PDB file of all heavy atoms in Angstrom:
ATOM      1  N   THR A 445      90.145 -19.556 -92.234  1.00 92.00           N
ATOM      2  CA  THR A 445      89.453 -20.573 -93.025  1.00 92.00           C
ATOM      3  C   THR A 445      88.091 -20.917 -92.427  1.00 92.00           C
ATOM      4  O   THR A 445      87.886 -20.833 -91.225  1.00 92.00           O
ATOM      5  CB  THR A 445      90.303 -21.855 -93.166  1.00 92.00           C
ATOM      6  OG1 THR A 445      89.629 -22.755 -94.053  1.00 92.00           O
ATOM      7  CG2 THR A 445      90.513 -22.558 -91.834  1.00 92.00           C
ATOM      8  N   GLN A 446      87.166 -21.281 -93.316  1.00 92.00           N
ATOM      9  CA  GLN A 446      85.851 -21.763 -92.872  1.00 92.00           C
ATOM     10  C   GLN A 446      85.897 -23.261 -92.699  1.00 92.00           C
ATOM     11  O   GLN A 446      85.055 -23.847 -92.039  1.00 92.00           O
ATOM     12  CB  GLN A 446      84.790 -21.467 -93.947  1.00 92.00           C
ATOM     13  CG  GLN A 446      84.715 -20.040 -94.361  1.00 92.00           C
ATOM     14  CD  GLN A 446      84.089 -19.879 -95.748  1.00 92.00           C
ATOM     15  OE1 GLN A 446      83.671 -20.853 -96.373  1.00 92.00           O
ATOM     16  NE2 GLN A 446      84.020 -18.660 -96.218  1.00 92.00           N
ATOM     17  N   ARG A 447      86.863 -23.880 -93.359  1.00 89.00           N
ATOM     18  CA  ARG A 447      86.891 -25.340 -93.420  1.00 89.00           C
ATOM     19  C   ARG A 447      88.229 -25.886 -92.954  1.00 89.00           C
ATOM     20  O   ARG A 447      89.081 -26.233 -93.765  1.00 89.00           O
ATOM     21  CB  ARG A 447      86.616 -25.775 -94.857  1.00 89.00           C
ATOM     22  CG  ARG A 447      85.201 -25.507 -95.287  1.00 89.00           C
ATOM     23  CD  ARG A 447      85.013 -25.755 -96.740  1.00 89.00           C
ATOM     24  NE  ARG A 447      85.489 -24.625 -97.546  1.00 89.00           N
ATOM     25  CZ  ARG A 447      85.289 -24.503 -98.842  1.00 89.00           C
ATOM     26  NH1 ARG A 447      84.669 -25.456 -99.493  1.00 89.00           N
ATOM     27  NH2 ARG A 447      85.721 -23.451 -99.482  1.00 89.00           N
ATOM     28  N   PRO A 448      88.423 -25.931 -91.647  1.00 89.00           N
ATOM     29  CA  PRO A 448      89.727 -26.358 -91.136  1.00 89.00           C
ATOM     30  C   PRO A 448      90.125 -27.759 -91.596  1.00 89.00           C
ATOM     31  O   PRO A 448      91.306 -28.065 -91.678  1.00 89.00           O
ATOM     32  CB  PRO A 448      89.553 -26.304 -89.614  1.00 89.00           C
ATOM     33  CG  PRO A 448      88.095 -26.250 -89.369  1.00 89.00           C
ATOM     34  CD  PRO A 448      87.489 -25.597 -90.564  1.00 89.00           C
ATOM     35  N   ALA A 449      89.124 -28.588 -91.930  1.00 88.00           N
ATOM     36  CA  ALA A 449      89.475 -29.947 -92.343  1.00 88.00           C
ATOM     37  C   ALA A 449      90.067 -29.977 -93.750  1.00 88.00           C
ATOM     38  O   ALA A 449      90.625 -30.978 -94.177  1.00 88.00           O
ATOM     39  CB  ALA A 449      88.249 -30.845 -92.265  1.00 88.00           C
ATOM     40  N   HIS A 450      89.963 -28.861 -94.460  1.00 89.00           N
ATOM     41  CA  HIS A 450      90.401 -28.860 -95.855  1.00 89.00           C
ATOM     42  C   HIS A 450      91.641 -28.015 -96.099  1.00 89.00           C
ATOM     43  O   HIS A 450      92.015 -27.766 -97.233  1.00 89.00           O
ATOM     44  CB  HIS A 450      89.265 -28.392 -96.768  1.00 89.00           C
ATOM     45  CG  HIS A 450      88.091 -29.311 -96.726  1.00 89.00           C
ATOM     46  ND1 HIS A 450      88.013 -30.444 -97.481  1.00 89.00           N
ATOM     47  CD2 HIS A 450      86.979 -29.282 -95.956  1.00 89.00           C
ATOM     48  CE1 HIS A 450      86.879 -31.077 -97.214  1.00 89.00           C
ATOM     49  NE2 HIS A 450      86.241 -30.391 -96.284  1.00 89.00           N
ATOM     50  N   VAL A 451      92.247 -27.527 -95.054  1.00 91.00           N
ATOM     51  CA  VAL A 451      93.537 -26.842 -95.219  1.00 91.00           C
ATOM     52  C   VAL A 451      94.557 -27.606 -94.360  1.00 91.00           C
ATOM     53  O   VAL A 451      94.170 -28.346 -93.459  1.00 91.00           O
ATOM     54  CB  VAL A 451      93.477 -25.340 -94.810  1.00 91.00           C
ATOM     55  CG1 VAL A 451      92.506 -24.568 -95.668  1.00 91.00           C
ATOM     56  CG2 VAL A 451      93.145 -25.180 -93.338  1.00 91.00           C
ATOM     57  N   PRO A 452      95.838 -27.429 -94.663  1.00 90.00           N
ATOM     58  CA  PRO A 452      96.819 -28.207 -93.899  1.00 90.00           C
ATOM     59  C   PRO A 452      96.738 -27.916 -92.406  1.00 90.00           C
ATOM     60  O   PRO A 452      96.434 -26.785 -92.007  1.00 90.00           O
ATOM     61  CB  PRO A 452      98.166 -27.742 -94.448  1.00 90.00           C
ATOM     62  CG  PRO A 452      97.893 -26.908 -95.625  1.00 90.00           C
ATOM     63  CD  PRO A 452      96.450 -26.537 -95.638  1.00 90.00           C
ATOM     64  N   LEU A 453      97.017 -28.918 -91.628  1.00 90.00           N
ATOM     65  CA  LEU A 453      96.994 -28.768 -90.173  1.00 90.00           C
ATOM     66  C   LEU A 453      97.915 -27.634 -89.713  1.00 90.00           C
ATOM     67  O   LEU A 453      97.644 -26.947 -88.732  1.00 90.00           O
ATOM     68  CB  LEU A 453      97.428 -30.102 -89.543  1.00 90.00           C
ATOM     69  CG  LEU A 453      97.102 -30.347 -88.083  1.00 90.00           C
ATOM     70  CD1 LEU A 453      95.621 -30.197 -87.817  1.00 90.00           C
ATOM     71  CD2 LEU A 453      97.562 -31.741 -87.673  1.00 90.00           C
ATOM     72  N   PHE A 454      98.997 -27.420 -90.463  1.00 91.00           N
ATOM     73  CA  PHE A 454      99.928 -26.327 -90.149  1.00 91.00           C
ATOM     74  C   PHE A 454      99.210 -24.992 -89.999  1.00 91.00           C
ATOM     75  O   PHE A 454      99.640 -24.135 -89.248  1.00 91.00           O
ATOM     76  CB  PHE A 454     100.956 -26.138 -91.272  1.00 91.00           C
ATOM     77  CG  PHE A 454     101.894 -27.282 -91.432  1.00 91.00           C
ATOM     78  CD1 PHE A 454     102.004 -27.935 -92.643  1.00 91.00           C
ATOM     79  CD2 PHE A 454     102.679 -27.685 -90.367  1.00 91.00           C
ATOM     80  CE1 PHE A 454     102.892 -28.987 -92.806  1.00 91.00           C
ATOM     81  CE2 PHE A 454     103.574 -28.741 -90.522  1.00 91.00           C
ATOM     82  CZ  PHE A 454     103.678 -29.387 -91.730  1.00 91.00           C
ATOM     83  N   ALA A 455      98.131 -24.847 -90.766  1.00 91.00           N
ATOM     84  CA  ALA A 455      97.430 -23.557 -90.800  1.00 91.00           C
ATOM     85  C   ALA A 455      96.951 -23.148 -89.420  1.00 91.00           C
ATOM     86  O   ALA A 455      96.698 -21.983 -89.174  1.00 91.00           O
ATOM     87  CB  ALA A 455      96.251 -23.623 -91.764  1.00 91.00           C
ATOM     88  N   TYR A 456      96.796 -24.087 -88.521  1.00 87.00           N
ATOM     89  CA  TYR A 456      96.430 -23.677 -87.164  1.00 87.00           C
ATOM     90  C   TYR A 456      97.243 -24.348 -86.072  1.00 87.00           C
ATOM     91  O   TYR A 456      97.373 -23.813 -84.999  1.00 87.00           O
ATOM     92  CB  TYR A 456      94.917 -23.805 -86.896  1.00 87.00           C
ATOM     93  CG  TYR A 456      94.263 -24.971 -87.562  1.00 87.00           C
ATOM     94  CD1 TYR A 456      94.138 -26.165 -86.908  1.00 87.00           C
ATOM     95  CD2 TYR A 456      93.796 -24.858 -88.865  1.00 87.00           C
ATOM     96  CE1 TYR A 456      93.564 -27.243 -87.536  1.00 87.00           C
ATOM     97  CE2 TYR A 456      93.220 -25.939 -89.508  1.00 87.00           C
ATOM     98  CZ  TYR A 456      93.113 -27.129 -88.832  1.00 87.00           C
ATOM     99  OH  TYR A 456      92.558 -28.194 -89.449  1.00 87.00           O
ATOM    100  N   ASP A 457      97.852 -25.506 -86.351  1.00 88.00           N
ATOM    101  CA  ASP A 457      98.629 -26.048 -85.228  1.00 88.00           C
ATOM    102  C   ASP A 457     100.003 -25.384 -85.100  1.00 88.00           C
ATOM    103  O   ASP A 457     100.716 -25.594 -84.132  1.00 88.00           O
ATOM    104  CB  ASP A 457      98.650 -27.573 -85.191  1.00 88.00           C
ATOM    105  CG  ASP A 457      99.701 -28.190 -86.084  1.00 88.00           C
ATOM    106  OD1 ASP A 457     100.254 -27.461 -86.924  1.00 88.00           O
ATOM    107  OD2 ASP A 457      99.955 -29.392 -85.943  1.00 88.00           O
ATOM    108  N   GLN A 458     100.357 -24.538 -86.070  1.00 92.00           N
ATOM    109  CA  GLN A 458     101.583 -23.741 -85.944  1.00 92.00           C
ATOM    110  C   GLN A 458     101.293 -22.320 -85.472  1.00 92.00           C
ATOM    111  O   GLN A 458     102.199 -21.498 -85.382  1.00 92.00           O
ATOM    112  CB  GLN A 458     102.305 -23.669 -87.297  1.00 92.00           C
ATOM    113  CG  GLN A 458     102.895 -24.992 -87.757  1.00 92.00           C
ATOM    114  CD  GLN A 458     104.071 -25.421 -86.906  1.00 92.00           C
ATOM    115  OE1 GLN A 458     104.866 -24.608 -86.470  1.00 92.00           O
ATOM    116  NE2 GLN A 458     104.171 -26.707 -86.639  1.00 92.00           N
ATOM    117  N   ALA A 459     100.036 -22.025 -85.231  1.00 94.00           N
ATOM    118  CA  ALA A 459      99.669 -20.663 -84.844  1.00 94.00           C
ATOM    119  C   ALA A 459      99.818 -20.471 -83.332  1.00 94.00           C
ATOM    120  O   ALA A 459      99.423 -21.337 -82.557  1.00 94.00           O
ATOM    121  CB  ALA A 459      98.244 -20.362 -85.271  1.00 94.00           C
ATOM    122  N   THR A 460     100.361 -19.346 -82.953  1.00 95.00           N
ATOM    123  CA  THR A 460     100.429 -19.013 -81.525  1.00 95.00           C
ATOM    124  C   THR A 460      99.064 -18.517 -81.056  1.00 95.00           C
ATOM    125  O   THR A 460      98.660 -18.749 -79.926  1.00 95.00           O
ATOM    126  CB  THR A 460     101.479 -17.914 -81.279  1.00 95.00           C
ATOM    127  OG1 THR A 460     102.716 -18.357 -81.826  1.00 95.00           O
ATOM    128  CG2 THR A 460     101.650 -17.617 -79.798  1.00 95.00           C
ATOM    129  N   HIS A 461      98.372 -17.829 -81.950  1.00 96.00           N
ATOM    130  CA  HIS A 461      97.090 -17.214 -81.585  1.00 96.00           C
ATOM    131  C   HIS A 461      95.968 -17.833 -82.408  1.00 96.00           C
ATOM    132  O   HIS A 461      96.004 -17.795 -83.634  1.00 96.00           O
ATOM    133  CB  HIS A 461      97.143 -15.708 -81.838  1.00 96.00           C
ATOM    134  CG  HIS A 461      98.345 -15.067 -81.225  1.00 96.00           C
ATOM    135  ND1 HIS A 461      98.420 -14.735 -79.894  1.00 96.00           N
ATOM    136  CD2 HIS A 461      99.545 -14.739 -81.774  1.00 96.00           C
ATOM    137  CE1 HIS A 461      99.607 -14.198 -79.640  1.00 96.00           C
ATOM    138  NE2 HIS A 461     100.314 -14.193 -80.754  1.00 96.00           N
TER     139      HIS A 461
END
Side-chain angles (χ1 to χ4, degrees):
T445 185
Q446 305 158 2
R447 291 172 280 189
H450 297 276
V451 298
L453 198 56
F454 294 123
Y456 36 92
D457 84 347
Q458 291 291 323
T460 305
H461 309 280

